[in-house]
Amino acid sequence: MPKAAPEPKTAAQFVARAREAMGAEKGWTFALRGSESAVMRGQAPSSATYAATVHRTTAPAALRQTGTVTTSKGERKPEAVYVVGGTGYVKDGAEGWKKGPLSDPDIANDVEDPVAELDAFAEYAKSATASRTAAGVRLRVTASGWQLSAARNRPALKRAVREVEPTLAQLRKAGVTATDRQITLKSFTETWDLDGARGYRITSHRYAFTFLVPFAGGDITVSQQVRGDNLGVFGGSVTLPAGAK
């Protein structure tokens, strides 16, 4: 009989096993929940929540993400996101489709792909702590205190910086003059729960960050958090709607 694979010990080894487990199935279904907000003391917060379902195939790699954005004013807007052939397609509400490469931040910020994020996590998994849980293992990376200018060069913070940029652009248009050296990462946490009984496949992926942006003698607090839970194997396929091409 072939020898069983040695039990992983380091975060990088757990990630390698998780990538094997995720790649062994035709596809996966994830439930997504997220929220983002910009808060200044004494004023009503600007916020939004997001809920979606993701179907992600592995061979070929493709993604379908359908959900709803709800603003703090109670406005609801459907959103559809597809990734096919390395190109992202996004439709917000009644607007037309926009498309572009995943290297385009405007496209990438709309895509929630735990399988691709696991691949990216492998690049900085050595920064993670690994701890045993009742169901397997938890990998976690935390950070705080970084100036935005320095955070840009940290692999683990690459996504947080990319995600916060649109909000910062809006704030600057509104008169906020804080520089990258003045904007501070208050906290960042990325957590992966892996199922030890099933080859360490993804159970859930969570990330959250908060930046402090100086303004008018205080701070504007910009926060975001996203959670993706694995609902199981997806055996279908992903194809673009006719109008997206």
Side-chain angles (χ1 to χ4, degrees), residues 2 15 22 29 92 115 133-134 216 236:
V15 171
M22 298 305 289
T29 300
D92 291 317
V115 177
T133 65

Side-chain angles (χ1 to χ4, degrees), residues 30-34 50-54 65 112-114 226-229:
F30 296 91
L32 295 178
R33 289 174 290 164
Y50 181 58
T53 299
V54 169
Q65 175 183 321
E112 297 292 343
D113 183 351
V226 176
R227 174 172 183 144
D229 290 299

Side-chain angles (χ1 to χ4, degrees), residues 11 47 50 61 100 103-104 117 123 126 131-132 142 148 152 185 195 197 199 203-204 233 243 245:
S47 62
Y50 181 58
S103 57
D104 180 349
E117 287 154 14
E123 299 178 9
K126 63 182 180 181
S131 59
R132 291 288 180 178
T142 60
L148 178 59
R152 294 183 186 281
L185 178 69
D195 188 341
T203 300
S204 71
V233 173
K245 297 182 179 179

Side-chain angles (χ1 to χ4, degrees), residues 9 26 28-29 40 77 87 89 91-92 126 144 150 157 160 168 187 190 208 224-225 239:
K9 295 181 179 180
K26 181 179 179 180
W28 301 91
T29 300
M40 185 166 63
K77 180 174 65 175
T87 298
Y89 302 78
K91 182 174 175 58
D92 291 317
K126 63 182 180 181
S144 62
L157 303 178
L168 296 180
S187 62
E190 181 174 11
Q224 184 179 131
Q225 56 183 352
T239 56

Side-chain angles (χ1 to χ4, degrees), residues 144-169:
S144 62
W146 290 90
Q147 296 174 340
L148 178 59
S149 54
R152 294 183 186 281
N153 299 318
R154 303 295 297 178
L157 303 178
K158 181 179 179 181
R159 179 175 179 178
V161 171
R162 188 195 74 212
E163 294 271 7
V164 80
E165 287 287 13
T167 300
L168 296 180

